[in-house]
């Protein structure tokens, strides 16, 4: 394997996610409504009107549950990865996409604090990626080399990489604000 699990310092914020931003809660709520009435720290089903757009299907290396357009976009991204970096594609896995819960923030002492807002996973528009069955450690300001390579493909398709969140989250990729607005304009949402 080509060092995909090597740990690198997280890249400078201005070298990734060019022109992309994490979607605002207000945008998510205006396009999709609220995924459910209440949230805890655990994954719960999407029960709001959005549930009619949630599908489960294979995106190539694994199955995903999420908003139909996002699941199809993810499948296209991973097909490009398969064509160009097949040995990276071989080790891709997922820790999930749709999951209605509060944001989880890993603290410097390793404990998890629940945020006040729902995670973007609640809308089924974000995916957590595993490499060779392993999750990149949340909040350590480092990332796997393989995720850095993968981020180029996600960024090119208009997905935001969580490495630049205030609490580093390199396993996390989500449909960016501008991409959501474009899909809405194109009538896909
Ligand atoms: Zn995530």
């Amino acid at each position: 394997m080509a060092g995909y699990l090597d740990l690198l310092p997280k890249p400078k914020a201005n070298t990734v996610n060019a022109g992309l931003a994490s979607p605002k809660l207000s945008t998510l709520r205006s396009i999709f409504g609220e995924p459910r009435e209440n949230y805890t720290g655990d994954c719960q089903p999407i029960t709001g009107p959005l549930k009619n757009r949630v599908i489960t299907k294979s995106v190539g290396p694994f199955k995903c549950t999420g908003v139909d357009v996002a699941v199809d976009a993810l499948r296209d991204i991973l097909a490009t990865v398969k064509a160009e970096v097949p040995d990276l594609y071989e080790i891709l896995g997922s820790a999930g996409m749709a999951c209605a819960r509060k944001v989880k923030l890993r603290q410097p002492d390793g404990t998890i604090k629940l945020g006040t807002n729902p995670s973007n996973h609640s809308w089924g528009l974000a995916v957590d990626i595993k490499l060779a069955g392993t999750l990149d450690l949340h909040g350590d300001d480092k990332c796997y080399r393989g995720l850095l390579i993968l981020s180029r493909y996600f960024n090119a398709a208009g997905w935001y990489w969580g490495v630049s969140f205030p609490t580093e989250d390199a396993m996390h990729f989500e449909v960016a604000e501008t991409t959501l607005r474009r899909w809405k304009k194109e009538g896909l949402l």
Side-chain angles (χ1 to χ4, degrees), residues 96-97 101 119 121 126-129 165 169 171-174:
M97 193 169 180
R101 61 163 167 80
S119 158
H121 285 283
V127 65
D128 291 335
I129 297 285
F165 281 154
D169 194 3
M171 71 176 93
H172 179 102
F173 296 92
E174 62 185 17

Side-chain angles (χ1 to χ4, degrees), residues 14-160:
N14 63 2
T15 65
V16 294
N17 295 320
L20 301 171
S22 181
K24 295 189 199 101
L25 277 177
S26 56
T27 304
L28 292 168
R29 284 177 168 140
S30 78
I31 296 178
F32 300 104
E34 199 67 35
R36 42 179 303 117
E37 279 173 20
N38 50 58
Y39 304 90
T40 66
D42 298 317
C43 280
Q44 294 189 86
I46 293 169
T47 52
L50 166 65
K51 75 168 190 263
N52 299 321
R53 297 295 302 262
V54 174
I55 58 164
T56 300
K57 75 177 192 189
S58 169
V59 292
F62 48 83
K63 258 184 159 181
C64 257
T65 299
V67 171
D68 48 12
V69 194
V71 172
D72 287 343
L74 179 57
R75 183 201 54 206
D76 293 347
I77 292 167
L78 299 182
T80 309
V81 175
K82 185 179 186 181
E84 297 187 359
V85 205
D87 60 341
L88 175 58
Y89 178 88
E90 281 298 310
I91 62 166
L92 295 178
S94 172
M97 193 169 180
C99 165
R101 61 163 167 80
K102 288 188 177 178
V103 169
K104 287 183 194 174
L105 301 168
R106 190 175 180 276
Q107 304 301 295
D109 65 4
T111 58
I112 303 288
K113 202 175 136 203
L114 284 186
T116 43
N117 289 323
S119 158
N120 286 354
H121 285 283
S122 306
W123 279 267
L125 297 164
V127 65
D128 291 335
I129 297 285
K130 283 182 174 176
L131 298 184
T134 317
L135 274 181
D136 187 277
L137 187 62
H138 186 194
D140 67 352
D141 290 338
K142 296 189 177 77
C143 71
Y144 290 143
R145 186 188 304 279
L147 293 173
L148 176 64
I149 296 166
L150 211 51
S151 76
R152 304 307 186 192
Y153 292 88
F154 275 97
N155 281 175
W159 289 53
Y160 183 89

